[in-house]
């Protein structure tokens, strides 16, 4: 607690007490409150009207049963969640995560982060998040469809283009979005395209949405590198993960001249000194839905597969690290290894992939560090562009959409940098992101009264 301003300590104590056992949520709140000391010192009015307490308390939390029948005819039960965190800036907006680790604490941390991330985009979207402990791994196409339909049978009554707009996250891609939208449409008898984002182009999706999170993180890191007179060209890069975020990070880094030498999934990582063969990776992960060891097998003896638990992907030397798998994947030890090997910049593609200890190491070593709520905001920003196209019954070209994404990422970068300067911590993107996101949400909440 010593790193927290004395006036904010009771707020953190109350969050810890009222949300017992929710470690990831505590971690996310702690990090933001740590940054807010400088805000309340300069603008004490943010302590009024219990603004900070209200920001830490979700507006609504929905937990429900999802029964479905598997291919053997057995009844399966999962738990569904939707946390509608904050709607001061617009309808709740944020993805759905399907993963066995999902619980209320994980969804609350994600919804909390999402609120500030969405504020940083400058677009009219509030913060929310949802998901289920359903594990899509090894499930048939038909099982995934029945699960999505059962989930939406409950969830639909809480959604709407002006109320709450889900999208994808870990375990939820175009296939799942399609099944969820189909069931929503059937239950409501409304073609309400703007009720969910990440749709396929065939029925109201946006160009560049699939690519947006990875591309956006790459633009953000490029902007950080430029502040030190350099860029991706010729750099060694490690990108963890092999999902949607990682794949399109690799694509953009390669187009900027970087060499991505390693990537991973939950079974382990591969090291490819010639640079990842993206077409092959896409075919294995997106087409065949296989494990990453297949990549090494297909590439031959020059490529190594290292099974999870043997050694960490962060021991592979690189100049830029872009963790794009999941929360807390970069430990303090991993950060020390990265720093020792000369890492210059870290951009969080996933949500909260670096532990507080890891972030401390990067800060102390003067590494450029982009927190996820700023660096990975390109995904949700492009979701907001999808909503805009749906509202005007229009569709834009890839070039037009990507140009908007690039401008948004540049603006988020500049907002974080100037906010950090303004609060006496130049180059501290964590502080800049937390403060800029908080101030936008808190100002709106103040104007809306005590609700
Ligand atoms: N799940 C993504 C995120 O963490 C995207 C959310 C969205 O597009 O609504 O920001």
């Amino acid at each position: 607690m010593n790193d927290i301003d004395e006036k904010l300590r009771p707020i953190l104590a109350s969050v810890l007490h009222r949300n017992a056992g929710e470690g990831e949520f505590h971690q996310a709140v702690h990090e933001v409150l740590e940054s807010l000391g400088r805000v309340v010192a300069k603008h004490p009015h943010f302590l009024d009207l219990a603004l900070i307490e209200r920001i830490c308390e979700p507006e609504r939390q929905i937990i429900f049963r999802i029964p479905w029948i598997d291919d053997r005819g057995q009844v399966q039960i999962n738990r569904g969640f939707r946390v509608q965190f904050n709607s001061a800036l617009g309808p709740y907006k944020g993805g759905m995560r399907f993963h066995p680790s999902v619980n209320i604490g994980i969804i609350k941390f994600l919804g909390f982060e999402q609120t500030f991330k969405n504020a940083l985009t400058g677009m009219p979207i509030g913060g929310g998040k949802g998901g289920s402990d359903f594990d899509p791994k090894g499930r048939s196409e038909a099982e995934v469809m029945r699960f999505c339909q059962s989930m939406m049978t409950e969830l639909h009554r809480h959604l709407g283009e002006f109320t709450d707009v889900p999208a994808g996250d870990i375990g939820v891609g175009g296939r799942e979005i399609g099944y969820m939208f189909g069931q929503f449409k059937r239950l409501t008898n409304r073609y309400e395209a703007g009720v969910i984002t990440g749709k396929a182009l065939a029925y109201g999706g946006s160009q560049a949405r699939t690519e947006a999170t990875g591309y956006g993180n790459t633009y953000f890191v490029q902007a950080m590198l430029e502040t030190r007179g350099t860029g991706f060209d010729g750099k060694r890069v490690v990108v963890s993960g092999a999902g949607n975020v990682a794949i399109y990070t690799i694509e953009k880094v390669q187009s900027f001249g970087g060499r991505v030498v390693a990537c991973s999934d939950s079974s382990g990582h591969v090291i490819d000194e010639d640079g990842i063969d993206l077409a092959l990776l896409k075919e294995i992960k997106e087409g065949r839905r296989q494990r990453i060891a297949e990549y090494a097998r297909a590439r031959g003896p020059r490529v190594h597969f290292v099974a999870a638990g043997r050694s960490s992907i962060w021991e592979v030397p690189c100049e830029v690290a872009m963790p794009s798998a999941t929360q807390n994947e970069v430990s303090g030890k991993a950060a020390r290894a990265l720093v020792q090997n000369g890492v210059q910049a870290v951009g969080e593609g996933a949500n909260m992939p670096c532990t507080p200890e890891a972030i401390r190491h990067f800060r102390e070593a003067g590494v450029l560090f982009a927190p996820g709520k700023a660096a990975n905001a390109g995904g949700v920003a492009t979701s907001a562009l999808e909503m805009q196209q749906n509202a005007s019954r229009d569709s834009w070209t890839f070039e037009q959409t990507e140009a908007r994404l690039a401008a948004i990422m540049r603006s988020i970068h500049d907002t974080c940098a100037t906010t950090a300067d303004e609060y006496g911590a130049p180059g501290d993107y964590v502080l800049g992101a937390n403060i800029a996101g908080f101030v936008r949400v808190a100002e709106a909440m103040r104007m809306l009264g005590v609700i």
Side-chain angles (χ1 to χ4, degrees):
M1 280 248 184
N2 289 340
D3 39 5
I4 306 265
D5 184 281
E6 165 178 307
K7 293 187 216 60
L8 302 174
R9 279 183 212 160
I11 302 178
L12 180 61
S14 151
V15 169
L16 302 187
H17 175 73
R18 302 176 73 215
N19 304 281
E22 298 174 4
E24 291 82 2
F25 182 49
H26 298 172
Q27 185 182 333
V29 173
H30 191 128
E31 189 207 277
V32 169
L33 292 187
E34 210 180 307
S35 301
L36 295 189
R38 290 179 198 240
V39 179
V40 297
K42 212 168 166 172
H43 306 293
H45 72 272
F46 282 120
L47 286 166
D48 299 345
L49 300 169
L51 273 170
I52 302 177
E53 289 89 331
R54 278 192 283 146
I55 279 189
C56 294
E57 178 72 12
E59 288 177 18
R60 190 174 297 105
Q61 306 182 49
I62 303 150
I63 304 183
F64 53 100
R65 179 171 70 198
I66 310 175
W68 56 282
I69 297 177
D70 69 18
D71 286 348
R72 292 171 308 145
Q74 303 284 318
V75 176
Q76 299 283 339
I77 308 287
N78 286 101
R79 190 172 285 177
F81 302 90
R82 188 75 187 164
V83 172
Q84 299 181 329
F85 221 106
N86 195 298
S87 61
L89 297 176
Y92 309 108
K93 181 83 198 83
M96 298 291 287
R97 175 176 293 192
F98 293 173
H99 191 272
S101 66
V102 164
N103 58 42
I104 188 66
I106 297 268
I107 300 298
K108 259 152 87 176
F109 117 65
L110 290 164
F112 183 75
E113 289 281 295
Q114 196 83 46
T115 300
F116 301 106
K117 180 194 306 193
N118 294 3
L120 283 170
T121 66
M123 314 195 72
I125 41 179
K129 202 83 187 193
S132 171
D133 57 1
F134 172 71
D135 187 357
K137 248 187 228 116
R139 290 294 177 191
S140 71
E141 192 80 26
E143 287 177 320
V144 169
M145 181 174 76
R146 286 196 296 274
F147 172 80
C148 289
Q149 290 175 338
S150 180
M151 153 160 271
M152 191 50 87
T153 301
E154 168 60 31
L155 193 60
H156 83 281
R157 64 185 100 250
H158 309 289
L159 307 181
E161 62 171 318
F162 300 112
T163 309
D164 186 354
V165 183
D169 195 85
I170 293 173
V172 178
R175 174 179 70 174
E176 292 74 18
I177 296 291
Y179 295 149
M180 287 195 272
F181 180 65
Q183 183 74 349
F184 179 91
K185 187 172 77 61
R186 187 180 190 200
L187 288 164
T188 57
N189 193 30
R190 280 164 63 85
Y191 205 107
E192 193 180 321
V195 76
I196 194 162
T197 61
K199 300 182 294 296
L201 295 175
Y203 64 93
S206 172
Q207 295 281 359
R209 174 62 190 89
T210 317
E211 294 84 353
T213 311
Y215 280 19
N217 189 20
T218 313
Y219 284 125
F220 195 103
V221 173
Q222 175 74 20
M224 286 202 306
L225 289 169
E226 281 170 14
T227 66
R228 297 207 176 153
T230 171
F232 271 105
D233 199 21
K235 292 223 163 43
R236 274 177 74 90
V237 183
V238 168
V239 180
S240 64
N244 164 64
V245 180
I247 284 176
Y248 293 99
T249 301
I250 297 172
E251 187 164 289
K252 200 43 130 190
V253 166
Q254 289 179 342
S255 82
F256 283 173
R259 183 155 55 101
V260 181
V261 292
C263 65
S264 63
D265 67 12
S266 58
S267 68
H269 65 273
V270 290
I271 306 173
D272 189 341
E273 287 294 338
D274 296 332
I276 297 289
D277 176 340
L278 192 60
L280 178 64
L281 183 69
K282 278 187 188 171
E283 161 65 16
I284 287 168
K285 297 306 295 185
E286 290 182 333
R288 297 190 238 152
R289 294 181 188 265
Q290 285 174 330
R291 311 305 294 162
I292 199 107
E294 274 312 308
Y295 175 90
R297 200 161 305 146
R299 283 282 271 172
R302 277 179 53 76
V303 174
H304 304 289
F305 168 69
V306 183
R310 290 226 342 260
S311 75
S312 157
I313 188 173
W314 306 117
E315 286 165 32
V316 180
C318 63
E319 292 155 288
V320 181
M322 304 178 80
S324 308
T326 195
Q327 67 271 358
N328 291 329
E329 56 167 307
V330 184
S331 63
K333 185 170 164 234
R336 267 198 303 278
L338 282 163
V339 168
Q340 256 156 30
N341 287 327
V343 75
Q344 294 168 22
V346 178
E348 292 191 322
N351 290 313
M352 209 169 74
C354 297
T355 62
E357 199 191 342
I359 299 174
R360 209 158 35 241
H361 283 305
F362 295 139
R363 265 200 181 131
E364 282 165 13
V367 172
L368 291 164
F369 178 76
K373 62 170 78 71
N376 74 33
V380 75
T382 309
S383 277
L385 299 178
E386 183 173 332
M387 291 162 74
Q388 223 176 91
Q389 292 168 76
N390 294 148
S392 56
R393 301 182 187 279
D394 195 2
S395 59
W396 310 341
T397 63
F398 193 96
E399 291 68 29
Q400 196 180 351
T401 318
E402 201 196 345
R404 288 285 302 266
L405 167 66
I408 291 166
M409 295 316 297
R410 171 63 64 178
S411 139
I412 298 174
H413 171 273
D414 295 352
T415 300
C416 295
T418 52
T419 307
D421 285 347
E422 196 185 315
Y423 284 86
D428 189 338
Y429 289 90
V430 173
L431 197 97
N434 286 338
I435 294 182
F438 166 80
V439 167
R440 184 162 183 237
V441 179
E443 285 293 8
M445 285 175 71
R446 201 168 50 77
M447 293 176 205
L448 296 175
V450 179
I451 51 170

